[in-house]
Amino acid sequence: MPNLHPMAKLKNKLSVILDVVPQGSNIIYVDYPVYNNGGDVLIMKGTEAFFKDNGIRVRARYSAMDIPDRLQIPGDWIIVCHGGGNFGDLYSNHQNLRERIVRDFPNHRIVIMPQTIHFQSEQKANEVAALFNAHPDLHMFVRDTRSYQWAKDKLNQCSITLCPDMAHQLWPLKPTTETVKDVLYFLRTDIETVGGQKKFDDEADAAHRLDWDTLFTPLEVKGIVYFQKFYRLDKKIGGPLPTRTFWYKYTDHLMNKAVTLFSSYREVRTSRLHGHILACLLDMPHVVIDNSYGKNSQYYNTWTQPNPKAQLFSEAPSALEQPS
């Protein structure tokens, strides 16, 4: 299909997951996000769309905050872990949960949806490799070639497959408002911020410079905090409160807010991977700036480079008046 849009091709590539999570499977979905990172919300929405589009039956869903200490899962259910960019030692809460799942369920199929891998500690990386390699039915999808090479080397007893991010299942997203503004600077403010971003921080007007934590209003952030409290309460009392149902409705609002924001601009410059992916899903021109450990450039070079509306900063000097 040579005339297929590059983003449609990426969506089609997600079908490789069906090799290990077949259509009609019964699954448990673990570690979906309950926090204010809109990128993970996009991943979750894409993942749920993938399940629905392929008739995959989600029998239970757990976040990192409400998963029971003792969990009973029928032997024919597949455990599917949320994807993203937190596989490694930067985000221990989510990594610890994955390791617990691998330890506690040696007889279940475990599938880790597309991840970027980054370890600062070689010792920690080796510990994780030993644990994962001991599992007889563990399947991991990775989002870029560097993560793939790492996993093929370290997790050599596991099934490793290169696969795009789950948010691509949402293609195509339609703009939700009229384009009335020029350039949106959607730039990181966390531990993954890179020094090269300073050029864009300097040129961005404060009114057009946002990140996930500033996209959402203080009231919306407070709402997220209250949801987290209810999740912990649900776990404490043994549930079931309808917390997840209301949270999923709330994330519809959060995602729609991000789509509306991006739709209102002519162009985006972003150091957020899912700022890049959201712009791709909306088919709008944008420039990608790398994060601290190369996640964005790795993803661009692996998957999104064919998109004519996406440019990697280091490859677009003329567009950004960057000296060669």
Side-chain angles (χ1 to χ4, degrees), residues 178-184 207-208 260-261 263-267:
E178 183 182 357
T179 301
V180 293
K181 289 173 277 191
D182 191 22
V183 180
L184 170 64
H208 305 287
T260 298
L261 172 72
S263 299
S264 68
Y265 283 87
R266 176 186 59 81
E267 179 187 334

Side-chain angles (χ1 to χ4, degrees), residues 4-42:
L4 202 62
H5 192 285
M7 294 301 101
K9 291 180 181 179
L10 287 189
K11 180 177 180 177
N12 289 344
K13 287 181 181 296
L14 295 176
S15 63
V16 70
I17 296 169
L18 299 175
D19 291 343
V20 294
V21 187
Q23 292 180 336
S25 296
N26 294 310
I27 72 164
I28 173 173
Y29 178 31
V30 174
D31 199 26
Y32 67 84
V34 186
Y35 40 86
N36 66 338
N37 185 307
D40 272 302
V41 170
L42 279 171

Side-chain angles (χ1 to χ4, degrees), residues 129-189:
L131 173 65
F132 278 46
N133 284 329
H135 195 285
D137 196 6
L138 197 153
H139 305 263
M140 184 167 182
F141 293 90
V142 291
R143 302 189 301 191
D144 62 83
T145 52
R146 185 166 64 187
S147 295
Y148 179 77
Q149 292 302 325
W150 184 96
K152 291 293 284 185
D153 178 45
K154 292 283 191 181
L155 308 181
N156 48 44
Q157 299 303 306
C158 304
S159 168
I160 309 297
T161 305
L162 192 62
C163 182
D165 186 272
M166 293 306 299
H168 289 289
Q169 187 69 24
L170 300 173
W171 169 265
L173 285 178
K174 300 299 182 184
T176 54
T177 190
E178 183 182 357
T179 301
V180 293
K181 289 173 277 191
D182 191 22
V183 180
L184 170 64
Y185 292 84
F186 202 71
L187 303 171
R188 301 194 78 106
T189 56

Side-chain angles (χ1 to χ4, degrees), residues 71-82:
L71 187 61
Q72 300 295 321
I73 304 176
D76 62 341
W77 288 11
I78 301 170
I79 303 172
V80 177
C81 295
H82 182 73

